[in-house]
């Protein structure tokens, strides 16, 4: 079980251009808790029940999460500043039947969210000591769902035993699907500050892609 990260940042051009970046790697390697079982000897065969294949290692799984991001800040002029941010993410989870401990490898999906990302770009400008303009665009791109594991590509009807070697054991196949969600937004605003009072007016528009 590990979680490693590092960050680095600083000026690219003094008083004008800066950057900051973070990278992170997380992972876990596990054996199912509370039960010991092996891959299915009859994987991919119609009409056969589960039989443990003890010639292979016990069923286990590894999950991993990775992301790296970067931010760049540009002071273009005395009154115009820009920020750009991007976060790229990758996740693979070898879930055993949705996280349970009684599913053989061929009936377990790989949870994948690659690529997933978050991003935004902003602009701000203090036109006067009382009037500030701001605008930005940003969004996320998300994927989630499951894919069959390499080497277990035959899609067959799932079977869950009510009794037998391991009651509740699921084997043979599973239904996998992928989902995509991409909500983006655009915003703009103007702020007026007098010192004792302030007012802000703006607009925000969001749109999604499924």
């Amino acid at each position: 079980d590990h979680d490693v990260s590092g960050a680095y940042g600083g000026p690219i051009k003094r008083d004008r251009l800066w950057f900051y970046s973070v990278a992170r790697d997380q992972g876990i390697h596990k054996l199912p808790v509370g039960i010991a079982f092996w891959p299915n000897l009859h994987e991919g065969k119609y009409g056969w029940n589960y039989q443990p294949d003890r010639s292979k290692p016990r069923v286990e799984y590894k999950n991993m999460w990775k992301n790296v991001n970067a931010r760049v800040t540009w002071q273009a002029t005395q009154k115009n500043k820009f920020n750009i941010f991007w976060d790229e993410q990758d996740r693979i989870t070898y879930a055993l039947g949705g996280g349970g401990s009684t599913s053989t490898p061929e009936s377990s999906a790989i949870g994948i969210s690659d690529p997933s990302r978050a991003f935004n770009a902003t602009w701000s400008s203090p036109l006067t000591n009382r009037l500030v303009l701001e605008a930005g665009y940003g969004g996320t791109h998300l994927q989630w769902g499951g894919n069959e594991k390499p080497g277990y590509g035959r899609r067959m009807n799932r079977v869950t035993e009510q009794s037998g070697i391991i009651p509740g054991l699921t084997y043979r196949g599973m239904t996998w699907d992928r989902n995509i969600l991409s909500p983006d937004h655009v915003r703009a605003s103007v702020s007026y500050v007098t010192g004792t009072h302030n007012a802000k007016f703006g607009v925000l528009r969001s749109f999604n892609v499924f």
Side-chain angles (χ1 to χ4, degrees):
D1 189 3
H2 72 272
D3 187 343
V4 181
S5 64
Y8 186 71
I12 300 174
K13 186 175 182 180
R14 185 175 179 180
D15 299 329
R16 184 60 61 90
L17 190 63
W18 304 264
F19 79 98
Y20 186 76
S21 180
V22 177
R24 186 179 186 184
D25 186 305
Q26 304 173 74
I28 190 169
H29 182 191
K30 300 180 68 175
L31 288 168
V33 177
I35 192 170
F37 68 96
W38 284 260
N40 188 3
L41 181 65
H42 300 307
E43 182 269 320
K45 299 178 182 178
Y46 286 99
W48 286 83
N49 293 333
Y50 168 83
Q51 289 292 329
D53 185 357
R54 290 187 169 84
S55 66
K56 297 180 180 178
R58 283 179 53 186
V59 172
E60 58 186 39
Y61 59 97
K62 298 179 181 180
N63 297 338
M64 72 90 173
W65 305 263
K66 297 180 180 180
N67 76 290
V68 60
N69 63 56
R71 178 184 298 277
V72 176
T73 302
W74 177 34
Q75 188 72 45
T77 67
Q78 186 177 4
K79 293 186 176 181
N80 290 279
K81 183 170 71 174
F82 298 87
N83 273 288
I84 299 175
F85 174 79
W86 192 280
D87 189 346
E88 194 76 9
Q89 305 167 13
D90 185 9
R91 174 183 65 86
I92 298 179
T93 57
Y94 287 75
L96 297 176
S101 61
T102 54
S103 297
T104 59
E106 82 274 7
S107 67
S108 305
I110 300 178
I112 296 179
S113 63
D114 175 27
S116 290
R117 58 182 60 99
F119 57 90
N120 66 66
T122 62
W123 164 74
S124 61
S125 177
L127 291 182
T128 69
N129 60 351
R130 294 188 175 185
L131 194 64
V132 179
L133 302 180
E134 296 176 289
Y137 172 79
T140 56
H141 181 92
L142 306 174
Q143 292 196 49
W144 69 95
N147 277 8
E148 63 271 11
K149 292 185 177 182
Y152 300 102
R154 295 191 64 183
R155 299 193 176 194
M156 305 174 68
N157 293 333
R158 294 178 63 190
V159 173
T160 301
E161 291 189 347
Q162 303 303 311
S163 61
I165 297 176
I166 304 176
L169 177 68
T170 298
Y171 54 92
R172 292 188 188 166
M174 176 176 279
T175 301
W176 300 277
D177 60 358
R178 296 295 298 274
N179 301 278
I180 299 176
L181 176 63
S182 296
D184 291 355
H185 61 267
V186 178
R187 64 179 177 86
S189 66
V190 54
S191 302
Y192 183 75
V193 182
T194 65
T196 56
H197 298 83
N198 64 80
K200 186 174 184 177
F201 302 91
V203 61
L204 172 65
R205 182 171 183 178
S206 299
F207 46 96
N208 295 324
V209 177
F210 295 91

